Amino acid sequence: MSTDFSAELSTKFPPKRNSARPFDPPDQLLALLSQPLVRIRQWDGVNAWLIARYEDVRSVLNSANFSADPRKPGYPEKSAAYGATVGQDHNLRTMDEPEHGVQKRMLLQDFSVKRVNELRPAIQAKVDQLLDDMIAKGPPAEFVHDFALAIPTMVICELLGVPYVDRDYFAEQTAICLSSDHPAEEGAAAGRNLSEYIDRLLDVKEAAPENDLLSRLVVEQLRTGALSRKDVVGLARLILIAGHETTANTIALSTLALLINPDQAQILRAGTDAATLSNAIDELLRYLSVTHTGRRRVAIADVQINGQLIRAGEGVIILTNIADRDERIFDGAAKLDLKRKNARNLMTFGTGSHRCLGAFLSKVELEIAHSTLWRRLPGFRLACPFEQIEFIESGQVLGVRRLPVAW
């Protein structure tokens, strides 16, 4: 058993990826799948155990012995900018049961399978319109801005009741909040800016409620006293950030992965039934697993994980992206295989009570985007050498800065 701090991983976490294999997690983290638990000393001096093996990840995420509350001593926050927003709000991301379940149930109807399936025609129309606009302008196009970011942003704006014209502003503030490169004061300022922006929107919804999630939170939770105004702001801010950032990066990265794996792209180009398409999207999500800095928890009781005693008050970093590359579960895990039989076992969205609320919505957006994209754009290809693509590793979500495409 290892109790020594990993000096290499403590220097900069997560470490940089191998530039020759940018879709693969860092080699130092993949190595954790075949060794005892390792712990690191973080940027702020907080110590944390790295949890990488699939079964260990599942065990920790399902355990009530680990807390998601960053106010608890020993919690390993992701970055100075991220940590600076702690205390600005208290929401689903940072709550434990039973409080977490109470707030999550307030949102279930808006993210249920039934409600998301009702949104399919509207999402399809948005995807078609974006492709119409791209085709009308002609190649090349900047795929991240023109398509990948636009889809989930349009959807979450409509669902929440946030003006789409404000997208550049809240996208910029979100990027600062999620960055590991920005100092704490900038992260705190960006968090306040987003909170103040949503607070002003609540004034609008209070005066004239509409058929959107913000209005329902005002009418059903704020007016009844079930939630304070601060709680509503914090919850809405979380949904706004999570509702566009992760899916946008996944759309862009999955498209790039398919462009350099044309045999896999051909599976989608040829057309698929619903079950095959669903499985293909699960595999893209597993292969990319873009949330690459780990889910954070702190032990609230002594727990044995993989033969290592983790004591109450010690932090853990749960590497779902490494679990999604565990050969014990996914044979040939380093390979993108849209016909993989157990891709649905992916850990990308987490598991347990904190499993991503918007998982099904994100998956439907990806299904519609890819089923339409490969059908409508014959000869779809990169418009620059792959080596010129700049991967973004500094945020909480892996992404690419630009993706020039042609057809």
Side-chain angles (χ1 to χ4, degrees):
M1 294 183 296
S2 172
T3 56
D4 295 330
F5 292 104
S6 170
E8 180 183 26
L9 289 173
S10 293
T11 303
K12 175 70 173 176
F13 187 87
K16 297 287 287 184
R17 295 176 176 233
N18 186 327
S19 59
R21 295 182 285 104
F23 288 113
D24 293 341
D27 294 332
Q28 301 97 313
L29 298 186
L30 289 170
L32 299 175
L33 291 170
S34 58
Q35 64 186 68
L37 294 194
V38 166
R39 64 175 175 171
I40 63 170
R41 192 179 302 280
Q42 283 215 131
W43 60 275
D44 55 356
V46 171
N47 308 326
W49 293 97
L50 302 181
I51 311 296
R53 298 183 187 185
Y54 184 95
E55 292 301 337
D56 296 339
V57 163
R58 176 179 287 278
S59 176
V60 171
L61 288 176
N62 280 312
S63 174
N65 290 320
F66 292 90
S67 170
D69 188 346
R71 299 170 300 181
K72 284 184 165 58
Y75 184 93
E77 194 51 273
K78 296 179 180 180
S79 69
Y82 215 86
T85 65
V86 173
Q88 290 186 18
D89 52 40
H90 186 51
N91 56 44
L92 286 175
R93 183 184 77 88
T94 61
M95 287 176 176
D96 296 327
E97 300 301 335
E99 187 181 20
H100 173 270
V102 171
Q103 197 170 100
K104 194 168 190 176
R105 284 190 290 274
M106 296 175 182
L107 305 172
L108 288 179
Q109 71 177 82
D110 294 278
F111 294 93
S112 67
V113 171
K114 178 177 183 292
R115 175 59 179 144
V116 172
N117 280 330
E118 290 172 352
L119 292 173
R120 281 182 183 269
I123 298 172
Q124 183 68 64
K126 290 175 173 60
V127 168
D128 285 332
Q129 185 59 60
L130 289 168
L131 286 179
D132 287 344
D133 294 344
M134 277 177 51
I135 292 167
K137 286 194 298 184
E142 206 303 279
F143 189 78
V144 173
H145 182 272
D146 293 346
F147 189 83
L149 181 59
I151 295 168
T153 304
M154 292 167 76
V155 172
I156 202 64
C157 282
E158 184 172 320
L159 191 151
L160 258 179
V162 172
Y164 183 63
V165 293
D166 296 338
R167 62 192 180 279
D168 290 340
Y169 174 75
F170 65 70
E172 178 185 13
Q173 301 306 308
T174 294
I176 296 171
C177 286
L178 299 183
S179 173
S180 59
D181 289 343
H182 287 271
E185 57 271 18
E186 290 185 16
R192 286 193 300 271
N193 289 341
L194 281 173
S195 294
E196 290 167 3
Y197 169 74
I198 291 169
D199 193 61
R200 292 192 296 271
L201 282 178
L202 291 184
D203 289 336
V204 175
K205 304 300 181 182
E206 282 185 291
E210 299 176 295
N211 184 28
D212 55 56
L213 179 51
L214 268 182
S215 295
R216 277 192 292 283
L217 287 173
V218 166
V219 172
E220 298 173 8
Q221 311 303 334
L222 184 57
R223 288 181 179 174
T224 63
L227 289 179
S228 69
R229 190 178 185 91
K230 182 180 179 181
D231 286 341
V232 172
V233 168
L235 184 56
R237 190 180 77 172
L238 173 68
I239 296 168
L240 180 61
I241 292 174
H244 78 279
E245 179 77 11
T246 307
T247 304
N249 283 296
T250 303
I251 291 173
L253 281 170
S254 58
T255 300
L256 178 59
L258 290 167
L259 285 168
I260 65 169
N261 289 277
D263 59 323
Q264 298 300 302
Q266 183 56 34
I267 295 172
L268 297 178
R269 199 185 297 278
T272 61
D273 57 41
T276 304
L277 176 61
S278 176
N279 188 77
I281 299 306
D282 281 340
E283 171 64 359
L284 286 165
L285 287 160
R286 180 207 68 83
Y287 177 73
L288 297 166
S289 213
V290 299
T291 306
H292 68 138
T293 60
R295 288 164 168 81
R296 309 301 174 106
R297 301 287 190 272
V298 60
I300 56 176
D302 292 355
V303 186
Q304 285 273 348
I305 298 293
N306 191 22
Q308 175 63 55
L309 175 63
I310 298 178
R311 298 187 181 279
E314 293 183 341
V316 295
I317 299 175
I318 307 153
L319 301 171
T320 50
N321 62 324
I322 307 302
D324 277 336
R325 294 298 187 94
D326 193 334
E327 291 279 347
R328 301 172 189 83
I329 308 298
F330 305 106
D331 188 42
K335 180 183 178 182
L336 177 64
D337 178 7
L338 299 193
K339 295 185 177 181
R340 184 181 299 279
K341 296 190 185 306
N342 67 338
R344 66 183 178 278
N345 294 331
L346 76 168
M347 207 46 76
T348 306
F349 295 117
T351 188
S353 64
H354 276 267
R355 187 176 189 273
C356 176
L357 177 68
F360 188 65
L361 175 60
S362 178
K363 186 174 173 181
V364 166
E365 290 173 359
L366 283 155
E367 287 178 1
I368 293 173
H370 279 298
S371 64
T372 309
L373 179 69
W374 298 98
R375 171 175 51 84
R376 289 196 56 188
L377 295 182
F380 188 55
R381 63 189 183 278
L382 269 177
C384 72
F386 177 74
E387 295 72 22
Q388 291 182 10
I389 301 296
E390 181 184 354
F391 285 76
I392 303 172
E393 299 184 50
S394 60
Q396 307 306 315
V397 180
L398 181 69
V400 289
R401 198 161 308 280
R402 295 177 62 253
L403 185 57
V405 295
W407 54 94

